mmCIF file of all heavy atoms in Angstrom:
data_model
loop_
_atom_site.group_PDB
_atom_site.id
_atom_site.type_symbol
_atom_site.label_atom_id
_atom_site.label_comp_id
_atom_site.label_asym_id
_atom_site.label_seq_id
_atom_site.Cartn_x
_atom_site.Cartn_y
_atom_site.Cartn_z
ATOM 1 N N ASP A 342 -71.800 -26.201 3.135
ATOM 2 C CA ASP A 342 -70.428 -25.723 2.932
ATOM 3 C C ASP A 342 -69.453 -26.879 2.724
ATOM 4 O O ASP A 342 -68.300 -26.658 2.343
ATOM 5 C CB ASP A 342 -69.964 -24.901 4.139
ATOM 6 C CG ASP A 342 -70.754 -23.614 4.300
ATOM 7 O OD1 ASP A 342 -71.280 -23.095 3.290
ATOM 8 O OD2 ASP A 342 -70.861 -23.132 5.454
ATOM 9 N N ALA A 343 -69.888 -28.087 2.980
ATOM 10 C CA ALA A 343 -69.021 -29.252 2.785
ATOM 11 C C ALA A 343 -68.625 -29.353 1.320
ATOM 12 O O ALA A 343 -69.483 -29.416 0.429
ATOM 13 C CB ALA A 343 -69.727 -30.517 3.225
ATOM 14 N N ALA A 344 -67.325 -29.342 1.073
ATOM 15 C CA ALA A 344 -66.830 -29.320 -0.303
ATOM 16 C C ALA A 344 -65.316 -29.372 -0.290
ATOM 17 O O ALA A 344 -64.674 -29.292 0.754
ATOM 18 C CB ALA A 344 -67.283 -28.041 -1.017
ATOM 19 N N MET A 345 -64.756 -29.477 -1.490
ATOM 20 C CA MET A 345 -63.323 -29.269 -1.682
ATOM 21 C C MET A 345 -63.133 -27.796 -1.992
ATOM 22 O O MET A 345 -63.841 -27.239 -2.852
ATOM 23 C CB MET A 345 -62.819 -30.132 -2.825
ATOM 24 C CG MET A 345 -61.337 -29.999 -3.100
ATOM 25 S SD MET A 345 -60.316 -30.742 -1.828
ATOM 26 C CE MET A 345 -60.309 -32.437 -2.395
ATOM 27 N N TYR A 346 -62.194 -27.175 -1.296
ATOM 28 C CA TYR A 346 -61.913 -25.756 -1.514
ATOM 29 C C TYR A 346 -60.514 -25.600 -2.105
ATOM 30 O O TYR A 346 -59.546 -26.162 -1.600
ATOM 31 C CB TYR A 346 -62.010 -24.978 -0.204
ATOM 32 C CG TYR A 346 -63.431 -24.803 0.268
ATOM 33 C CD1 TYR A 346 -64.087 -25.811 0.965
ATOM 34 C CD2 TYR A 346 -64.133 -23.629 -0.003
ATOM 35 C CE1 TYR A 346 -65.400 -25.658 1.386
ATOM 36 C CE2 TYR A 346 -65.441 -23.463 0.414
ATOM 37 C CZ TYR A 346 -66.063 -24.488 1.100
ATOM 38 O OH TYR A 346 -67.370 -24.332 1.513
ATOM 39 N N PHE A 347 -60.458 -24.791 -3.164
ATOM 40 C CA PHE A 347 -59.184 -24.543 -3.844
ATOM 41 C C PHE A 347 -58.836 -23.062 -3.772
ATOM 42 O O PHE A 347 -59.670 -22.206 -4.085
ATOM 43 C CB PHE A 347 -59.262 -24.954 -5.320
ATOM 44 C CG PHE A 347 -59.360 -26.428 -5.541
ATOM 45 C CD1 PHE A 347 -60.586 -27.026 -5.783
ATOM 46 C CD2 PHE A 347 -58.223 -27.221 -5.518
ATOM 47 C CE1 PHE A 347 -60.685 -28.391 -6.002
ATOM 48 C CE2 PHE A 347 -58.306 -28.583 -5.729
ATOM 49 C CZ PHE A 347 -59.540 -29.168 -5.961
ATOM 50 N N CYS A 348 -57.607 -22.810 -3.401
ATOM 51 C CA CYS A 348 -57.049 -21.465 -3.453
ATOM 52 C C CYS A 348 -56.354 -21.317 -4.809
ATOM 53 O O CYS A 348 -55.735 -22.276 -5.296
ATOM 54 C CB CYS A 348 -56.044 -21.315 -2.312
ATOM 55 S SG CYS A 348 -55.174 -19.747 -2.243
ATOM 56 N N SER A 349 -56.454 -20.133 -5.419
ATOM 57 C CA SER A 349 -55.805 -19.967 -6.721
ATOM 58 C C SER A 349 -55.280 -18.553 -6.899
ATOM 59 O O SER A 349 -55.744 -17.609 -6.258
ATOM 60 C CB SER A 349 -56.758 -20.339 -7.857
ATOM 61 O OG SER A 349 -57.850 -19.469 -7.881
ATOM 62 N N TYR A 350 -54.326 -18.457 -7.798
ATOM 63 C CA TYR A 350 -53.589 -17.208 -8.065
ATOM 64 C C TYR A 350 -53.716 -16.871 -9.537
ATOM 65 O O TYR A 350 -53.648 -17.751 -10.395
ATOM 66 C CB TYR A 350 -52.126 -17.430 -7.704
ATOM 67 C CG TYR A 350 -51.185 -16.301 -8.059
ATOM 68 C CD1 TYR A 350 -50.736 -15.415 -7.080
ATOM 69 C CD2 TYR A 350 -50.710 -16.125 -9.360
ATOM 70 C CE1 TYR A 350 -49.856 -14.393 -7.387
ATOM 71 C CE2 TYR A 350 -49.841 -15.108 -9.681
ATOM 72 C CZ TYR A 350 -49.411 -14.250 -8.695
ATOM 73 O OH TYR A 350 -48.539 -13.233 -8.998
ATOM 74 N N ARG A 351 -53.868 -15.576 -9.802
ATOM 75 C CA ARG A 351 -53.929 -15.129 -11.190
ATOM 76 C C ARG A 351 -53.082 -13.891 -11.359
ATOM 77 O O ARG A 351 -53.332 -12.865 -10.722
ATOM 78 C CB ARG A 351 -55.369 -14.848 -11.578
ATOM 79 C CG ARG A 351 -55.551 -14.388 -13.022
ATOM 80 C CD ARG A 351 -57.020 -14.365 -13.360
ATOM 81 N NE ARG A 351 -57.252 -13.867 -14.708
ATOM 82 C CZ ARG A 351 -58.428 -13.889 -15.311
ATOM 83 N NH1 ARG A 351 -59.473 -14.384 -14.703
ATOM 84 N NH2 ARG A 351 -58.557 -13.410 -16.528
ATOM 85 N N SER A 352 -52.087 -13.969 -12.204
ATOM 86 C CA SER A 352 -51.228 -12.824 -12.480
ATOM 87 C C SER A 352 -51.945 -11.835 -13.399
ATOM 88 O O SER A 352 -52.738 -12.232 -14.243
ATOM 89 C CB SER A 352 -49.945 -13.309 -13.154
ATOM 90 O OG SER A 352 -49.216 -12.223 -13.678
ATOM 91 N N VAL A 353 -51.654 -10.574 -13.256
ATOM 92 C CA VAL A 353 -52.208 -9.588 -14.186
ATOM 93 C C VAL A 353 -51.384 -9.501 -15.454
ATOM 94 O O VAL A 353 -51.778 -8.828 -16.413
ATOM 95 C CB VAL A 353 -52.308 -8.186 -13.546
ATOM 96 C CG1 VAL A 353 -53.186 -8.223 -12.315
ATOM 97 C CG2 VAL A 353 -50.935 -7.639 -13.211
ATOM 98 N N TYR A 354 -50.245 -10.210 -15.464
ATOM 99 C CA TYR A 354 -49.325 -10.117 -16.592
ATOM 100 C C TYR A 354 -49.384 -11.310 -17.525
ATOM 101 O O TYR A 354 -48.775 -11.307 -18.579
ATOM 102 C CB TYR A 354 -47.894 -9.948 -16.091
ATOM 103 C CG TYR A 354 -47.732 -8.798 -15.127
ATOM 104 C CD1 TYR A 354 -47.467 -9.016 -13.789
ATOM 105 C CD2 TYR A 354 -47.854 -7.483 -15.561
ATOM 106 C CE1 TYR A 354 -47.333 -7.973 -12.895
ATOM 107 C CE2 TYR A 354 -47.728 -6.421 -14.681
ATOM 108 C CZ TYR A 354 -47.467 -6.672 -13.344
ATOM 109 O OH TYR A 354 -47.340 -5.636 -12.474
ATOM 110 N N SER A 355 -50.061 -12.368 -17.121
ATOM 111 C CA SER A 355 -50.047 -13.594 -17.931
ATOM 112 C C SER A 355 -51.454 -14.009 -18.331
ATOM 113 O O SER A 355 -51.778 -15.191 -18.314
ATOM 114 C CB SER A 355 -49.340 -14.724 -17.186
ATOM 115 O OG SER A 355 -49.997 -15.002 -15.966
ATOM 116 N N GLY A 356 -52.275 -13.050 -18.674
ATOM 117 C CA GLY A 356 -53.615 -13.367 -19.135
ATOM 118 C C GLY A 356 -54.486 -13.891 -18.022
ATOM 119 O O GLY A 356 -54.356 -13.491 -16.875
#
Side-chain angles (χ1 to χ4, degrees):
Chain A
D342 294 334
M345 180 71 84
Y346 287 82
F347 291 99
C348 177
S349 64
Y350 173 102
R351 181 171 177 172
S352 168
V353 301
Y354 307 111
S355 60

